[in-house]
Each structure stands twice: as structure tokens, then as C-alpha cells.
Amino acid sequence: MKTLYMIRHAKSSWDFDVSDDKRPLNSRGLKDAELVGDALKTLVKPIDLILSSPAVRAHSTAKIINKYINVPDKLFVLEPNLYDFDGRSVIDVIMRCDNKVNNLMIFGHNHAFTSIANVYGSQQIDNLPTCGCVVIEFNCEKWGDINVGKNLHLIYPKLLK
């Protein structure tokens, strides 16, 4: 069994004159990441690996949520190929994941995450909101063999408020 946790970065700020990958979280994003992290601490299976886009907003979201789920730093990796918006690189990262990893958590971006959730999940979603988390379980032993899995959870800040 493989379980994938896909978390879209929290709300970011457009108030700074920085490149897209350097945009920080805004105050709402910081609060939402805390809210989702608190909800996830009772829902997640033991995470074997966290992969995050190196974009500041994704990496910051991952660090905040990890305060609640306590994955050791050695299992927290920045993955440049998660800075992807159409999903092809994200799927490649997932399918190349070491098969010793059963519970994978990734942090990244839309439209990639909504598209992947709709291709690989059992339930269609219109949009994965900022700081939204979709959890999909796959009945297979290898990440390269994933196909349509079963949606276990869809969590997002508005649902928790």
C-alpha cells in the first residue's frame, strides 16, 4: 500500500517585487498552514519522506506543517522538480520515489496538484485550494505502478474554520 499526501502551498503574498519562486507566505497563509498542520497531526500515517518544491511559499508551508507531524529533518528534502505547474514533473517525482517509502508527503503548486488528484484519485475536485491537502491511497507495492487510488481525505483551511 502506498499513500500520497499532496499539499498545495498556503496563500502567498504579491506585495514584494521578487521572482515567483521567492514569494513568501502572507499572514493568512501562515495561519492556514498552522490550522492544516494541527488537523493533519491526528490524520497522517507515519510519513516516510517529505518532498517540497524549493519555492519559498511551498517550503515555508512544509516547514510549518512539519512542526505538527514531526518528520525528522533527514526525511525532509527539497525537490526542484516539484516547482511544476502542469504536473508532468510531479508525476515523474512520485513514480521514481524509492519503494521503501510507503507514506509520501509532497508540497507544491496548482494546477499540477488538482490535475494529479483528478487523474489518480477516486473523487474529482474542482480545485485544490491554497494549503489544501488531498490524500490518496494506492493498492500497489511500487510507486511506478500507481494507478487510480482511493481518496482518503480532502482537507483545506475553509473546511477547518
Side-chain angles (χ1 to χ4, degrees):
M1 220 40 112
K2 302 293 182 197
T3 305
L4 175 65
Y5 298 80
M6 287 193 305
I7 303 174
R8 182 180 172 193
H9 65 79
K11 197 78 170 158
S12 61
S13 175
W14 292 91
D15 293 341
F16 303 94
D17 186 20
V18 295
S19 61
D20 180 72
D21 64 317
K22 302 287 189 244
R23 285 192 292 117
L25 297 178
N26 65 18
S27 59
R28 180 178 135 201
L30 293 167
K31 290 175 193 161
D32 286 352
E34 298 278 352
L35 189 65
V36 170
D38 190 50
L40 285 174
K41 72 182 177 189
T42 59
L43 292 175
V44 298
K45 299 174 185 178
I47 301 298
D48 300 311
L49 180 64
I50 291 177
L51 299 175
S52 175
S53 161
V56 169
R57 60 194 183 273
H59 186 209
S60 297
T61 302
K63 287 192 299 188
I64 292 168
I65 288 176
N66 194 37
K67 287 190 318 189
Y68 291 89
I69 60 173
N70 297 311
V71 174
D73 287 343
K74 67 181 181 178
L75 302 176
F76 189 118
V77 179
L78 292 181
E79 171 52 65
N81 290 319
L82 292 179
Y83 186 65
D84 172 32
F85 302 95
D86 67 23
R88 286 182 223 138
S89 294
V90 175
I91 291 169
D92 187 49
V93 166
I94 295 166
M95 294 185 117
R96 286 186 296 108
C97 190
D98 187 321
N99 291 317
K100 292 177 186 169
V101 172
N102 290 312
N103 302 306
L104 173 64
M105 182 174 281
I106 62 174
F107 290 83
H109 310 273
N110 245 1
H111 297 284
F113 278 21
T114 296
S115 297
I116 293 167
N118 286 331
V119 169
Y120 288 95
S122 58
Q123 298 170 337
Q124 295 292 296
I125 59 174
D126 290 332
N127 178 53
L128 185 61
T130 52
C131 211
C133 175
V134 62
V135 184
I136 304 172
E137 184 177 72
F138 301 98
N139 189 14
C140 63
E141 297 303 315
K142 297 179 182 177
W143 287 105
D145 293 342
I146 64 170
N147 204 322
V148 175
K150 179 183 177 187
N151 283 54
L152 299 180
H153 303 286
L154 176 60
I155 301 159
Y156 50 93
K158 197 174 202 178
L159 193 66
L160 300 171
K161 293 179 181 176

